[in-house]
Every structure is written in structure tokens, then in C-alpha cells.
Amino acid sequence: MSSNKVSKSTITDELTQKVISLCQRRAILFANSDIYGSAAGFFDYGPYGVELKKRIENSWWKTFVQSREDIVGIDGSIITSPRVWVASGHVAAFNDPLVDCLKCKSRHRADTLVEDELKISVDGFSLDKLGELIKEHKIVCQKCGGELSVARKFNLMFSTHIGAVADESSIAYLRPETAQLMFADFRIVQQAMRKKLPFGIAQIGKAFRNEIAPRNFVFRCREFSQMEIEFFIHPKLVNSCPLLSKEILEKKVQMITAIEQGKGKDGLMETMTIGDALKNKVIKTQWHGYWLITCLEWLYSLGITPANLRLREHVKTELSHYSVETWDIEYKYPWGWKELQGIANRTDFDLSQHQKESGKDLTYFDEESHERVIPHVIEPSIGVDRVFFTVLLDAYRENASDKGSTSTLALHPELSPVQVAIFPLMKKDGLAEKGRAVFEMLRNEFVCEYDESGSIGKRYARQDEVGTPFCITVDYDSLEKDDVTIRERDSGNQKRVPISKLKEVIECSFGEYCALHGGKK
Ligand code: GAP
């Protein structure tokens, strides 16, 4: 069993190491069942982590499902009929390139090995090309220096068996993406909800991939959660999106096209409006353009720095078997620009495949043209854990002082695991009772934590580390004047506020933050 400790050794940059160490120290997110030396690629969220993770999921669900009339949600099963994965192409084509060490028998992902050793991007390189590079540059096993086998395909699906008999006929798979159920359930959901095209089906749930080389903490792990939308569109109207307002068309984004990457100019970005990108056919269809900007805007609303996000088009050889055009939203990670979200044009591939495999009619009757069509699909797909980690990397700040250095997570207040912390200056003289009364008053409105141990400085530092935006101190003046000191995390500013006005003041500060940085308040 490979260990999480081994995969951490691949992390060389300081920021990533600091964020991982903060996650472990404060039990935010850590290796699964570590007391047994956990398998690589499995993680557990602790009390602060689960709070932040749920907030990310809730924000996504609110934005893309509850606030829209054209998207409905489902929550499907993790194990489904294996025929789903035959139809989707995952049994045949969900592979990564693998090489074996002929000496120590360890296995490596060929593309990441080449990237690590040659410091180049190999997005879209074929199995043969990777094999050639390994041979040409005499790349050897990273563990023992042994010679490597030829590169071959490795299927990433975890398999299991249904029922008491484990044979070929009972084989089943843990889903490698949540997407397929939105296709398999398309008909029942569309009819029951009386949805007309265009409309989407969304889902948040677990996905499993037996990654050859899980790495960079939860960036690439083996069990993770996805938030996916399959947005169904009349096949003749993929390039006609009524939601593309003038405001959206004028939004500028950083992007790198397939053509630029084809010229070998990896990293040459342009800043373009979505309108120009569509006019010049850089982005081929209007609905794709709409979803790219809509997904970017949601990431901005989480407080992620816009300059650290860009769009990158997949080069032809990199496209998944189901896609005719894919754009990734990439984040500038300490280890380079990498995929945070994928937004693919899956055409009618999946519905057609499921119609063929199941023999069931998955067409849609278009009342205007009186014809039956198989809808086309734009699919925004993003991993919860990857968003989680990205948010932490983007929000991590270090505060140096003569007493040493402490850290702060400058999280959007809507995401912070604790929104308000309440400290009595001392436990005695009625201060603890007053502090508890403030805590009880606020805890129905915000996620609050009461802390009476250690110096006030230490208590501030503890809350800064987990990104608490507001800390309230109850002191001797509070007993007389019925007011408290409220301290704002990012500026360190403190002001006295009457207890009766606390809720209003905190809500107002939330609003000010959102006005400045984006968000929902
Ligand atoms: N349904 C399409 C699909 O699954 P994908 O690009 O393979 O496409 C979508 O995955 C998103 O899921 C990625 O952009 C990433 O955020 C997340 N993801 C994929 N593999 C992951 C892994 N091994 N660990 C963590 N997140 C992952």
C-alpha cells in the first residue's frame, strides 16, 4: 500500500507545504485513517474542513440550482449498472498512461513522470510520444533508478462485485464521474419536471478514480466529490444563447487557445472579451461561452483572485473521447497553471450512447418544430476538493512580527468555517457569563465559536489561522456599557459596538466585503 506520506514528498514549494501543514495541525483536512498508515489519495475532513467544504457545496447549489429555473438537481447512486460505463465509453477508454519499473515493480504515471523530469507540459501527448520521450531522455524510476517498461494504458475505474458471487457477471464500478446519471436519468427527470430545452440537471456527489499517481494533496486524489451540470440544448440552438447579455459579452478574461499551444507557445495568454472570443470563433458556440464566464464568475464570488484564473482550450489530442471542444478553467498553482474546472461540449454523445445501449428512447419532443431530437450538452464539471484546496492556497497569508510569524486565511466570510469568535477577556468577574450571553445571542445568526483559553493574542491567532472574519472581545467596560470590541481579520481594525447592534454591524461588514470582493450578500 502506497502511503500519503510518500505522495507529500513530491511537494516542493513552500506555500503548498505550509497550507498542508496548517490543514493537518488544525485537523482541517488530513490523511485518511492515518493511524494505520493510510493509502495515498484518501483524505478526511475535520470539523473546520467539513464546514468550509459544505459552504462551497451550498454556494454552488444555491447559485446553479436553487437560484435558477432552468436547472434541477438529483442525487444518484454511486454504484450503477455496469452497462452505464460501457455506454459512456469508460470501460474502453477511461485510461491513463502507465509505466512499470522493471526493477522495484513500482508504477508511475507516464505523463507526470515526463513533466517532472523534463519540466515541460505534456497535455495531449499520445502514449507513443510519452514512450519516446522516456526512452530519448533515459528517464528512470523515481524511486530506485531502475529501467522503465513501455508505456501502456491503465483503466482508472475502481471495480467491485454486486451480491454474494464475485465473478464476471457481478462486476460493477464505483462511478468515476457523477455525470453519467444525469444522462441515464434524463428522460424521467425531464418528464417529471416538465422541463423544456434548454435546461440542466445538476448533481454533487462522490466520484472515485484509481489514480496511478495521486499528488499535490487533494488536487489529485482517489476519492473526491464533484459538482457537475449537464446542460441540455436543442442541437440546432447550441450557438444561440439568450442569456448572453451585453454585460457578459464585454467581460474580459485571460485565455490560451489550442492554436497558441500548437505553436509551442505554452503560456502565451491573451486577454479577450467573451464577445470577441465568440465572434472570432475562438470559443465555437454561444452556450459554451456563456457557461465559461458563468463558472468563472462563481469562482470569483468565492474570493479567488481573478488574475490567478484563466481559460485554456484543450488541444485536439487531449480531448476526452466524448468531447468536441473543452475549455479548462485553470488556476495558477505553485506548481504551474493546472485544471480547476473542465467545461466540455459533449454534443449528443452520451444520450445517443445510452439510447443505443439501453434500447430506450432518450429523444426529446420539440413542440415548436414537431420533431424528436437528441439534445446536445455543455458540461461544467468541477471537483469540490480541488476548489477547497485552491481557496486555501489563494487565501493563505503570513504575518511576520518580532514574536515570530503567524498565518491568516483571508477567506471570504461566506466560506469561513467560523464566522464570529467570542472571547471574554478573563474567565472571572462575570466576563465569561457576559461572553456566553453574546455567543448565545449570535449563534442563531452566524456560525460562532466561544473561546476563553489563553491570551487574547493567542486566541486571535487561532481564529486567523482558520479564517474567522470577526472576533469579539468582552471586557470590563462591556459589563458597564453593554458594548464589546469587534476586530476585523484582514485589516486588524478594532471598534467598540453596542451589543444590541452587533448583528447589524456584522451583517453590514459581510455586505461591505461582498461589495469589495464579490459574493452573494
Ligand atoms: N464529467 C467530466 C469529468 O469528470 P474531469 O475533467 O475528468 O471531467 C472534472 O473532471 C473535475 O473533477 C476536474 O476539473 C477536477 O476539478 C475534478 N477532478 C478530476 N479528477 C480529480 C481527482 N483525481 N482528484 C480531485 N479532483 C478531481
Side-chain angles (χ1 to χ4, degrees), residues 94 176-177 179 209 211 218-222 224 226 228 230 322 339-342 346 379 381-383 385-386:
F94 195 52
E177 60 173 16
R209 295 183 188 179
E211 297 283 355
V218 287
F219 178 81
R220 193 189 305 136
C221 42
R222 288 177 166 143
F224 55 99
Q226 285 186 315
E228 298 197 291
E230 306 307 321
Y322 50 73
E339 173 184 354
L340 170 57
Q341 170 157 32
R346 293 180 84 126
E379 178 202 59
S381 168
I382 192 162
D385 316 78
R386 208 172 274 190

Side-chain angles (χ1 to χ4, degrees), residues 14 93 101 142 166 192 212 284 290 308 310 341 363 375 443 519:
E14 220 179 309
C101 171
Q142 283 179 327
I212 301 166
K284 310 301 176 297
Y290 166 79
N308 288 343
R310 74 173 185 186
Q341 170 157 32
T363 56
R443 68 188 303 194

Side-chain angles (χ1 to χ4, degrees), residues 219 314 328-331 333 337-342 386:
F219 178 81
H314 280 205
D328 284 344
I329 296 181
E330 292 190 331
Y331 181 80
Y333 292 99
W337 287 99
K338 291 284 168 201
E339 173 184 354
L340 170 57
Q341 170 157 32
R386 208 172 274 190

Side-chain angles (χ1 to χ4, degrees), residues 379-397:
E379 178 202 59
S381 168
I382 192 162
V384 180
D385 316 78
R386 208 172 274 190
V387 176
F388 184 101
F389 190 27
T390 307
V391 161
L392 294 195
L393 288 166
D394 204 74
Y396 187 87
R397 313 271 184 274

Side-chain angles (χ1 to χ4, degrees), residues 80-280:
T80 59
S81 162
R83 289 174 66 199
V84 166
W85 307 110
V86 173
S88 69
H90 283 79
V91 170
F94 195 52
N95 304 313
D96 269 346
L98 172 85
V99 282
D100 294 278
C101 171
L102 300 176
K103 194 169 151 203
C104 74
K105 309 291 174 216
S106 61
R107 292 180 154 185
H108 306 269
R109 199 171 139 165
D111 51 353
T112 45
L113 193 64
V114 173
E115 282 195 346
D116 282 354
E117 296 299 322
L118 304 185
K119 308 284 176 251
I120 55 167
S121 164
V122 297
D123 288 332
F125 282 22
S126 66
L127 202 63
D128 288 347
K129 175 89 181 153
L130 290 168
E132 274 168 31
L133 286 171
I134 289 173
K135 212 163 157 196
E136 184 186 332
H137 295 273
K138 298 190 174 50
I139 296 174
V140 289
C141 171
Q142 283 179 327
K143 279 193 184 154
C144 76
E147 196 188 330
L148 298 169
S149 68
V150 288
R152 63 191 164 90
K153 290 175 183 168
F154 173 77
N155 193 289
L156 297 185
M157 282 198 293
F158 278 104
S159 59
T160 183
H161 291 273
I162 299 175
V165 181
D167 63 15
E168 274 296 301
S169 67
S170 64
I171 201 157
Y173 304 98
L174 304 193
R175 64 183 182 197
E177 60 173 16
T178 62
Q180 288 308 318
L181 284 193
M182 273 87 94
F183 299 119
D185 295 344
F186 166 75
R187 195 73 197 273
I188 185 169
V189 173
Q190 183 264 320
Q191 291 188 340
M193 302 307 289
R194 291 171 290 111
K195 283 290 166 200
K196 293 208 174 8
L197 294 180
F199 78 95
I201 307 180
Q203 180 170 204
I204 300 179
K206 287 274 188 179
F208 302 81
R209 295 183 188 179
N210 195 5
E211 297 283 355
I212 301 166
R215 54 166 50 197
N216 290 327
F217 202 37
V218 287
F219 178 81
R220 193 189 305 136
C221 42
R222 288 177 166 143
E223 175 177 340
F224 55 99
S225 300
Q226 285 186 315
M227 304 183 280
E228 298 197 291
I229 302 166
E230 306 307 321
F231 198 79
F232 301 96
I233 305 157
H234 190 292
K236 290 187 186 144
L237 298 178
V238 185
N239 200 23
S240 169
C241 172
L243 304 184
L244 271 180
S245 61
K246 185 168 177 285
E247 197 196 340
I248 292 183
L249 289 168
E250 285 173 358
K251 291 209 188 271
K252 284 190 177 159
V253 289
Q254 308 188 101
M255 57 172 73
I256 170 154
T257 63
I259 293 177
E260 280 304 323
Q261 295 163 81
K263 287 183 202 158
K265 292 183 186 170
D266 184 36
L268 185 77
M269 276 191 296
E270 292 177 70
T271 300
M272 221 186 274
T273 64
I274 287 291
D276 282 342
L278 284 166
K279 199 165 75 197
N280 301 327

Side-chain angles (χ1 to χ4, degrees), residues 278-311:
L278 284 166
K279 199 165 75 197
N280 301 327
K281 286 281 168 205
V282 171
I283 299 167
K284 310 301 176 297
T285 60
Q286 287 196 3
W287 272 107
H288 211 153
Y290 166 79
W291 278 110
L292 288 171
I293 195 73
T294 304
C295 293
L296 267 174
E297 299 253 298
W298 178 70
L299 292 166
Y300 300 156
S301 83
L302 301 183
I304 298 178
T305 311
N308 288 343
L309 293 167
R310 74 173 185 186
L311 301 178

